[in-house]
Amino acid sequence: MNKPLHPLTMWIWSLILAVGVVVLDNAWVALATVGVAVLFVRARSDGSPWNATFWWSLRFGAFVISVRVLIGILIGIPIPGTVLFTLPILDLPSWMSGIRVGGAVTLERLSSSVHEGIIIATMIALFGAASALTSPHKLLRVLPVFIYEVGVTLVIATSVFPQLTQSVKRIRKAQYMRGMDKVSLRSIALPLLEETLTRSLQLAQSMDSRGYGASRKRSRYRPAPWLARDSWFVFSAVVAASAMVAA
Amino acid sequence: MITFSNVSLIYPHSTKTVLEDLNCEIQEGEMVLVMGHTGSGKSSLLRLINGLVPHHTGGILAGDISVDGLSTRELKPGALAHLVGIVGQNPINGFVTDVVEEEIAFGMEALNFPPDVMRKRVEEVLDLLSLNAVRARAISSLSGGEQQRVAIAAALVMHPKVLVLDEPTSALDPIAAEEVLSVLHRLVHDLSVTVIMAEHRLERVIQFVDRIIYIEGNGETSIGSAEEILSKSELVPPIIRLARALNLNEFGTSVREVRRLTADVRGIAVAEIDSATRVRTPAIEVDSLTVKYGDDFALRGVSTSIGKGEIVALMGRNGAGKSSLLETIVGVLKPSSGAVRVYQQDPAELAGKSRRKRIGYVPQEPSDLLYHQSVRQECQEADLLAGLASGTTLSFLDKLVPRISHDAHPHDLSEGQRLALVLSIVLSGNPQLLILDEPTRGLDYQAKSLFTRALKEYASTLNYPVLLATHDVELVAELADRVIFLAEGEIVADGSTLDVLLSSPAFAPQVAKIMSPQPWLTVDHVVSALAEKL
């Protein structure tokens, strides 16, 4: 179980399951899928910094659900059913006639919000799992050379963004130490922009100087052939997804 | 191996010629140093060799550069990847993958090397650069020296005939720097690789290089042996300044050579320098301070006190806890146990104006504090924050570095000018304590001596303490009264600069190595000791 899968396997697996979950549109099945993804990520983490992506995607998913529920309570089309509680209706100007803020919150309205939130969060978690187990950098290496520009962009985006949070932290700390209490957007954005641009340019230069895209064919240091295991993986996802679609 | 013929270079939207009519030929197996003031165009010259300039940067290039018979005019950098290996100034910015082994193999994969060749070469290069222990680690978890070695390994694995390095030791502590330089030395001698590098810390590299290309900044360049160039240059390492001060008629570039030439000077008996530190009123008191990140200790039970008017250097290998100590003293990092008092006050309570009045802090990246459109605006903001008359900061800056353009954008300044700007802004509030984190990275000798003078003046006229973390042994010898040496989060040495620097050969400055066993750290020490004698 410790040999790495083909870089594409997890992405295909996630994609197929995501389609299944959307088509079936059942929150319980969606949660079960997330559960399977959790088991997978736990079993197959290899200690790379990307593993943390999955746990971040779960947190982000929880945030999405709570926002969706909050919006569902405040704004929404009235769905008849068991009334849980009633919020005062906000008077809106006449030109906003289609929208109602507040009003009766029914069990049905709440559950449909939760349901939608869960489906969205499942999508996020599935792609979080894929990128946690196969970093976009590995994915890049199986992509064909003729999409060279896409490759460069992908590497820059995926390397610069994680560093971005580090830089923001560092700049804020420096400015706080200087005694700048009111840290404005501008005071962070300008040094950050400068640094990010420099970094991106340097990375592009480095890739170019090391011959990325110079040869039509690429070889692999550790070849990751498509094995029977990978086919089984994808097959299981196809079976699960077709069961969901058929149901 | 490399031929520059009539090379001139101008960048777009600029009137300054970076290079003018450069002609030179670099032989196979030569080690060449590119030196010059900050911002003089050293990096541009290096990147001309594999065509990054002008293919990536734009600019007008006249003349021709050929590497092993291939002209960089027509070929893009990728087409020279098998011939020229290039290691940038910040290797971390050039890493493409996450894991050491994959990073090393990246270039070979791109050029479609067969897998069995790759396996063999990766093993070779891992051994050559002693990276075997970290081969499966994530690059982001490595120390600065290890990252630098990974970058060199990734370039070397292609078996390039030319290796180009931009400031390979600037971020490294003296020991890590020596590791990297000895690897380069071996490559040149055993494998006949041609090495071209830019470096500000001449004292570290000068003994290894065969020739020097000196970029004077106005487009002119001179090329020659180390002796030829350094006998005329303004930028010289302490070893040459010593030779000048002692009026030696010969130059030497290594400690061994100059020791032979100065045997008579060392023989003179001189009165012992009084190295006892004065008793000072403490300004910073650190009491059994422990800082933990998760389960890892950054500092373990550190206790010390720093007096008024004292200049203290904080040294130690990368990751020894220097930054953690600075950050707790400034008050942004909460100690797990123990306490810090700055003028009898907990620094964590300081904020805004009271913080600016108490503590002046210059971060590792000075540009983190700059966000205005021009030098003038930055200085006006500083005046406003400190409640000073308009123009005070600007005139202070003019005193520090004359000829700085007030309308220049801060990001267009050279590193030295930018540091001077940040220093003036920070000092405008007359803080009662000055803290600097690695302030002299990328500074040439002139900028460094300006900086040294400004700090000394601050400490002596106002009687406030200065605390700086640095790897730069020569700077410490010139500037500091006292050195605190950290290792693994503990203080392993704390004493006068003289005692601490002389007790460890790796951290001894060049003059001390030459003059050992005499207790002299800098050229000035030697000169004043001899003057007393005569």
Side-chain angles (χ1 to χ4, degrees), chain A residues 52-108:
Chain A
T53 329
F54 182 62
W55 311 110
W56 280 107
S57 73
L58 286 188
R59 273 179 228 186
F60 183 60
F63 173 73
V64 166
I65 295 177
S66 54
V67 168
R68 182 66 193 85
V69 169
L70 201 69
I71 289 176
I73 291 174
L74 291 179
I75 310 166
I77 351 122
I79 299 175
T82 333
V83 176
L84 292 176
F85 54 91
T86 311
L87 291 174
I89 294 180
L90 198 70
D91 284 324
L92 289 175
S94 57
W95 50 267
M96 288 176 74
S97 59
I99 302 165
R100 197 190 70 168
V101 175
V105 178
T106 58
L107 185 63
E108 283 71 15

Side-chain angles (χ1 to χ4, degrees), chain A:
Chain A
M1 194 68 186
N2 281 326
K3 280 201 96 180
L5 293 166
H6 190 273
L8 281 175
T9 310
M10 270 317 279
W11 287 88
I12 298 177
W13 184 85
S14 296
L15 200 69
I16 294 175
L17 282 184
V19 172
V21 167
V22 170
V23 173
L24 182 64
D25 203 20
N26 179 319
W28 296 112
V29 175
L31 283 178
T33 318
V34 174
V36 173
V38 169
L39 288 179
F40 260 37
V41 172
R42 287 193 77 110
R44 301 206 57 95
S45 309
D46 51 2
S48 95
W50 285 93
N51 290 158
T53 329
F54 182 62
W55 311 110
W56 280 107
S57 73
L58 286 188
R59 273 179 228 186
F60 183 60
F63 173 73
V64 166
I65 295 177
S66 54
V67 168
R68 182 66 193 85
V69 169
L70 201 69
I71 289 176
I73 291 174
L74 291 179
I75 310 166
I77 351 122
I79 299 175
T82 333
V83 176
L84 292 176
F85 54 91
T86 311
L87 291 174
I89 294 180
L90 198 70
D91 284 324
L92 289 175
S94 57
W95 50 267
M96 288 176 74
S97 59
I99 302 165
R100 197 190 70 168
V101 175
V105 178
T106 58
L107 185 63
E108 283 71 15
R109 182 161 143 196
L110 204 59
S111 70
S112 90
S113 305
V114 174
H115 173 91
E116 268 175 44
I118 286 177
I119 300 289
I120 300 171
T122 308
M123 300 291 105
I124 296 169
L126 280 173
F127 286 98
S131 59
L133 293 184
T134 318
S135 83
H137 292 176
K138 282 191 189 148
L139 193 64
L140 162 83
R141 288 158 62 196
V142 293
L143 294 178
V145 180
F146 58 80
I147 51 168
Y148 164 74
E149 267 81 16
V150 180
V152 176
T153 320
L154 190 73
V155 168
I156 289 178
T158 53
S159 326
V160 169
F161 276 103
Q163 286 168 352
L164 217 61
T165 47
Q166 297 285 323
S167 307
V168 172
K169 265 192 220 153
R170 199 200 65 233
I171 295 172
R172 284 198 59 154
K173 194 150 85 179
Q175 297 190 348
Y176 172 76
M177 287 192 190
R178 157 87 184 110
M180 287 157 54
D181 296 328
K182 287 170 284 168
V183 175
S184 63
L185 182 65
R186 175 194 159 92
S187 70
I188 291 204
L190 279 171
L192 188 67
L193 190 68
E194 139 111 4
E195 185 174 302
T196 313
L197 275 175
T198 323
R199 275 206 173 141
S200 312
L201 285 175
Q202 283 182 355
L203 189 54
Q205 288 185 358
S206 156
M207 289 179 77
D208 206 6
S209 334
R210 290 165 71 186
Y212 185 73
S215 156
R216 301 304 293 164
K217 282 185 79 178
R218 284 169 61 88
S219 54
R220 283 190 57 93
Y221 170 60
R222 289 250 157 88
W226 185 272
L227 298 173
R229 215 154 34 108
D230 296 291
S231 306
W232 278 111
F233 244 77
V234 172
F235 181 68
S236 68
V238 171
V239 170
S242 15
M244 290 182 206
V245 173

Side-chain angles (χ1 to χ4, degrees), chain B residues 92-320:
Chain B
I92 186 87
N93 291 355
F95 289 138
V96 187
T97 64
D98 308 317
V99 182
V100 173
E101 247 183 311
E102 287 175 7
E103 182 64 30
I104 293 175
F106 177 82
M108 292 191 293
E109 288 185 333
L111 294 187
N112 199 23
F113 279 52
D116 52 327
V117 174
M118 280 199 265
R119 289 303 290 265
K120 214 168 67 212
R121 286 208 188 170
V122 169
E123 295 305 322
E124 270 170 26
V125 85
L126 284 173
D127 282 340
L128 186 67
L129 289 153
S130 345
L131 285 168
N132 210 4
V134 295
R135 61 188 298 164
R137 291 252 304 270
I139 295 175
S140 52
S141 71
L142 302 182
S143 74
E146 286 167 331
Q147 285 177 350
Q148 188 79 47
R149 292 213 303 269
V150 172
I152 296 177
L156 270 184
V157 78
M158 315 280 283
H159 290 189
K161 291 190 172 164
V162 179
L163 188 61
V164 178
L165 304 115
D166 198 350
E167 303 219 16
T169 73
S170 70
L172 304 184
D173 60 68
I175 297 165
E178 240 158 63
E179 282 167 19
V180 167
L181 287 170
S182 64
V183 166
L184 294 178
H185 186 67
R186 217 161 85 216
L187 291 173
V188 171
H189 285 260
D190 294 356
L191 304 172
S192 207
V193 177
T194 311
V195 172
I196 298 146
M197 64 176 154
E199 182 63 64
H200 278 302
R201 299 205 185 155
L202 301 181
E203 69 271 10
R204 284 179 170 176
V205 296
I206 203 73
Q207 50 182 320
F208 298 111
V209 302
D210 299 311
R211 275 202 295 170
I212 295 181
I213 300 179
Y214 180 29
I215 304 182
E216 288 169 26
N218 51 3
E220 282 180 35
T221 42
S222 39
I223 302 140
S225 70
E227 283 84 3
E228 279 165 31
I229 297 289
L230 292 177
S231 62
K232 298 175 296 207
S233 144
E234 297 172 344
L235 299 175
V236 286
I239 198 167
I240 305 289
R241 274 198 290 136
L242 182 70
R244 284 183 187 170
L246 296 175
N247 285 320
L248 301 179
N249 15 0
E250 273 180 86
F251 278 119
T253 51
S254 74
V255 169
R256 192 177 56 165
E257 286 172 279
V258 183
R259 259 186 92 83
R260 278 189 200 136
L261 298 172
T262 55
D264 50 329
V265 181
R266 280 201 311 278
I268 300 171
V270 280
E272 250 183 47
I273 298 174
D274 181 22
S275 69
T277 39
R278 286 195 286 140
V279 182
R280 302 174 195 258
T281 347
I284 308 172
E285 286 156 295
V286 179
D287 184 28
S288 50
L289 185 71
T290 297
V291 173
K292 272 166 106 178
Y293 292 109
D295 289 334
D296 298 329
F297 283 90
L299 294 172
R300 311 166 186 257
V302 169
S303 297
T304 186
S305 101
I306 291 165
K308 282 189 172 172
E310 204 173 14
I311 301 182
V312 180
L314 202 55
M315 301 190 77
R317 297 202 70 160
N318 292 326

Side-chain angles (χ1 to χ4, degrees), chain B residues 15-56:
Chain B
T15 49
K16 205 178 127 215
T17 332
V18 184
L19 296 169
E20 204 170 305
D21 207 23
L22 170 67
N23 279 295
C24 101
E25 197 158 323
I26 296 171
Q27 304 300 325
E28 186 182 356
E30 225 183 332
M31 192 164 190
V32 178
L33 171 72
V34 180
M35 63 177 250
H37 290 282
T38 48
S40 59
K42 295 188 295 295
S43 302
S44 303
L45 176 66
L46 294 185
R47 290 184 301 164
L48 276 170
I49 296 170
N50 80 335
L52 280 175
V53 177
H55 289 296
H56 261 257

Side-chain angles (χ1 to χ4, degrees), chain B residues 403-470:
Chain B
R403 299 194 314 272
I404 199 167
S405 160
H406 295 174
D407 298 309
H409 195 283
H411 290 301
D412 292 336
L413 301 177
S414 75
E415 306 240 3
Q417 291 173 325
R418 212 179 303 168
L419 177 68
L421 174 60
V422 171
L423 194 64
S424 341
I425 291 173
V426 169
L427 287 182
S428 67
N430 268 335
Q432 293 166 310
L433 157 68
L434 186 60
I435 290 187
L436 308 104
D437 197 354
E438 298 265 353
T440 56
R441 263 168 47 178
L443 292 197
D444 58 45
Y445 289 110
Q446 276 186 328
K448 252 195 252 183
S449 75
L450 272 175
F451 169 80
T452 310
R453 219 179 310 145
L455 289 194
K456 277 191 168 163
E457 203 180 287
Y458 166 83
S460 61
T461 55
L462 299 169
N463 198 29
Y464 291 146
V466 175
L467 179 60
L468 74 161
T470 180

Side-chain angles (χ1 to χ4, degrees), chain B residues 352-528:
Chain B
K353 192 160 183 199
S354 60
R355 168 175 290 274
R356 286 195 297 273
K357 278 243 154 304
R358 258 305 180 238
I359 304 173
Y361 172 75
V362 177
Q364 205 165 18
E365 303 287 338
S367 50
D368 285 356
L369 298 182
L370 302 175
Y371 54 93
H372 284 291
Q373 296 299 317
S374 70
V375 172
R376 192 192 306 277
Q377 282 178 17
E378 294 283 0
C379 291
Q380 278 167 353
E381 166 97 12
D383 288 340
L384 208 67
L385 281 174
L388 297 171
S390 169
T392 321
T393 310
L394 207 56
S395 63
F396 182 81
L397 177 65
D398 282 337
K399 254 198 334 202
L400 200 59
V401 260
R403 299 194 314 272
I404 199 167
S405 160
H406 295 174
D407 298 309
H409 195 283
H411 290 301
D412 292 336
L413 301 177
S414 75
E415 306 240 3
Q417 291 173 325
R418 212 179 303 168
L419 177 68
L421 174 60
V422 171
L423 194 64
S424 341
I425 291 173
V426 169
L427 287 182
S428 67
N430 268 335
Q432 293 166 310
L433 157 68
L434 186 60
I435 290 187
L436 308 104
D437 197 354
E438 298 265 353
T440 56
R441 263 168 47 178
L443 292 197
D444 58 45
Y445 289 110
Q446 276 186 328
K448 252 195 252 183
S449 75
L450 272 175
F451 169 80
T452 310
R453 219 179 310 145
L455 289 194
K456 277 191 168 163
E457 203 180 287
Y458 166 83
S460 61
T461 55
L462 299 169
N463 198 29
Y464 291 146
V466 175
L467 179 60
L468 74 161
T470 180
H471 288 315
D472 192 334
V473 180
E474 304 294 338
L475 174 81
V476 172
E478 294 279 349
L479 176 66
D481 304 317
R482 189 176 135 200
V483 176
I484 296 177
F485 201 97
L486 285 175
E488 309 263 305
E490 288 174 61
I491 293 184
V492 290
D494 181 355
S496 75
T497 307
L498 196 64
D499 293 339
V500 174
L501 291 191
L502 287 184
S503 64
S504 142
F507 282 82
Q510 233 176 1
V511 173
K513 284 180 188 158
I514 294 165
M515 287 302 167
S516 150
Q518 296 282 19
W520 297 324
L521 295 177
T522 64
V523 178
D524 291 345
H525 287 169
V526 178
V527 171
S528 65

